[in-house]
Amino acid sequence: MPTIVVEVMPKAELLDPQGKAVAGALGRLGKTRFAGVRVGKRFEITVEGHVDDAVLAEVQELADTVLSNSVIEDVVGIHVLDAPAGETH
Amino acid sequence: MRIGVVTFPGSLDDRDAQRAVRLAGAEPVALWHGDHDLHGVDALVLPGGFSYGDYLRCGAIASLSPIMTEVIDAAKKGMPVLGICNGFQMLAEARLLDGGLIRNEAGRFICKDQQLRVESASTDWTSGFEQGQEITIPLKNGEGGFIASAETLERLEGEGQVVFRYLGPNPNGSLNEIAGISNARGNVVGLMPHPEHAVEPGFGPDTATAMRSGTDGLTFFTSVIERALVGA
């Protein structure tokens, strides 16, 4: 079954307290080369049947309206996993 | 007056809100998220809690509940709707209110009695307050940081849609210390602090006079009742 991946990140200009906390932990571990961390979300959506442009358009719409909130987040990527060569978006 | 309180999976303060409605002198009506029926209520409260475990985003899944079709429709027709904490998050997710709520700046859950300034006494839920009145009601949330674009923020401030502002140190990093806002019409109000927990002497926040005697939250509910009586 094909899988569509949607990636969502908090808007770049917004403070990301989760990322800040992780970055703080890295600093305490002595990992000083890592200047910052931001935490986002990855959705893996399995699709019945094959993925065509209509399915991708529907996922794009869901990504914009349900999976993310455009006030606080950006959809940074949508791509298909396990797709036959040539159909990867 | 009949005021509906919608219970979602994970709502916690629905019964507190019903009790507040009763103490204010109206009849509380328990509504269920899965229904498409407001049972003829005159106003609505979306209560606090952790609907759907705050999965996806706080209030996001609840904002897609069956009953939200009717809630959004009623709100757009002018029915008074109050969103408390998780209810505020739902109203923002449903786009009935501008902006959004993100994790508290300090990354910690906050639970304290919070002083607020009433910035607008012209909404359906705040008409019993004086403009500029300082009140104290409990604040308890992990994701209460109010954010909006610079343009939206300017409009909210300019149009008098900022209804409550935090006093003292900013508890959660909210822009412009915003604790609550309304829609342009003033019938939909959302705030992070909890008026329903400050409605009865003995069970509210401490005041200068006596422990747990704060009842500032009651005015939210009496305001909407008085509005309805005047309008009737």
Side-chain angles (χ1 to χ4, degrees), chain A residues 8-67:
Chain A
V8 174
M9 290 297 291
K11 278 193 186 296
E13 66 270 26
L14 290 181
L15 180 75
D16 172 19
Q18 245 188 125
K20 208 172 123 193
V22 176
L26 295 186
R28 289 191 293 279
L29 290 171
K31 307 290 182 189
T32 50
R33 79 174 74 221
F34 304 112
V37 178
R38 296 183 71 75
V39 179
K41 291 180 193 146
R42 171 186 165 111
F43 300 87
E44 295 188 352
I45 304 171
T46 49
V47 186
E48 297 207 21
H50 78 287
V51 175
D52 56 18
D53 286 349
V55 172
L56 280 173
E58 197 173 354
V59 169
Q60 176 76 55
E61 203 218 321
L62 288 175
D64 293 337
T65 56
V66 176
L67 302 182

Side-chain angles (χ1 to χ4, degrees), chain A residues 41 66-67 69-70 72, chain B residues 56-57 93 95 103 105 147:
Chain A
K41 291 180 193 146
V66 176
L67 302 182
N69 175 345
S70 63
I72 57 179
Chain B
L56 188 60
R57 296 173 305 279
E93 282 287 343
R95 299 291 202 267
R103 207 170 288 250
E105 192 172 22
I147 58 108

Side-chain angles (χ1 to χ4, degrees), chain B residues 170-188:
Chain B
N170 190 330
N172 48 25
S174 291
L175 295 178
N176 293 16
E177 290 79 40
I178 289 173
I181 59 169
S182 74
N183 63 350
R185 192 167 171 170
N187 62 308
V188 180

Side-chain angles (χ1 to χ4, degrees), chain B residues 17-58:
Chain B
Q18 290 171 20
R19 181 170 152 274
V21 165
R22 195 177 308 115
L23 287 169
E27 179 193 341
V29 179
L31 300 176
W32 182 240
H33 75 106
D35 293 340
H36 276 292
D37 190 353
L38 298 182
H39 294 277
V41 296
D42 307 298
L44 282 163
V45 177
L46 304 186
F50 297 88
S51 58
Y52 293 93
D54 277 351
Y55 295 164
L56 188 60
R57 296 173 305 279
C58 300

Side-chain angles (χ1 to χ4, degrees), chain B residues 55-139:
Chain B
Y55 295 164
L56 188 60
R57 296 173 305 279
C58 300
I61 301 179
S63 77
L64 304 171
S65 297
I67 203 166
M68 288 304 287
T69 313
E70 284 69 30
V71 171
I72 291 167
D73 188 50
K76 286 184 174 165
K77 286 179 181 156
M79 182 183 286
V81 179
L82 178 67
I84 303 167
C85 196
N86 195 212
F88 182 16
Q89 294 163 337
M90 289 174 209
L91 292 175
E93 282 287 343
R95 299 291 202 267
L96 284 173
L97 291 175
D98 292 314
L101 284 312
I102 62 170
R103 207 170 288 250
N104 293 344
E105 192 172 22
R108 282 194 294 273
F109 191 93
I110 294 166
C111 184
K112 63 184 285 238
D113 292 340
Q114 176 67 47
Q115 219 185 356
L116 306 171
R117 186 169 56 236
V118 180
E119 299 284 13
S120 167
S122 57
T123 79
D124 286 357
W125 297 92
T126 57
S127 53
F129 291 112
E130 298 291 329
Q131 177 107 13
Q133 188 176 338
E134 295 183 2
I135 64 171
T136 302
I137 59 177
L139 174 70

